[in-house]
Amino acid sequence: MARGKPEFDIEACTGCNKCVDVCPQNILMLSDKYNKQKKHFAECFDEGRCTACSECSGICPEYAIRIWSFSITAGG
Ligand code: SF4
Ligand code: SF4
């Protein structure tokens, strides 16, 4: 099964919440903190559950999410 890790460009994020809504794993949220645009930026609170489906990066209007994908081998 593919595993992944979302990497956010927090300064590009406008806090629109689209990635939070779309993530099938429900592992994204808006931070309590602000970026320089004074927006709450998106972050992942449980990267271990990311499946690298790329739905979040596909929906982001700011192209602020990059997905790293790993393949996990049995016993590895
Ligand atoms: S790649 Fe998929 S599982 Fe991972 S954070 Fe994005 S929407 Fe969620
Ligand atoms: S979809 Fe993009 S701009 Fe919107 S909250 Fe997520 S990372 Fe930020």
Side-chain angles (χ1 to χ4, degrees):
M1 169 174 151
R3 285 269 312 280
K5 171 178 151 67
E7 181 179 304
F8 295 88
D9 179 348
I10 64 170
E11 297 304 340
C13 176
T14 60
C16 72
N17 213 58
K18 289 185 180 187
C19 58
V20 177
D21 283 342
V22 82
C23 176
Q25 299 296 105
N26 289 310
I27 54 174
L28 305 181
M29 61 183 286
L30 296 186
S31 175
D32 290 342
K33 299 177 205 145
Y34 295 95
N35 63 15
K36 289 176 187 161
Q37 301 186 67
K38 302 212 175 352
K39 304 289 187 184
H40 293 289
F41 52 86
E43 60 185 10
C44 179
F45 58 86
D46 191 355
E47 288 175 351
R49 286 167 49 209
C50 177
T51 61
C53 71
S54 295
E55 295 205 20
C56 56
S57 54
I59 207 167
C60 177
E62 308 302 327
Y63 307 102
I65 311 173
R66 176 175 181 187
I67 300 300
W68 295 89
S69 182
F70 315 97
S71 55
I72 305 297
T73 51

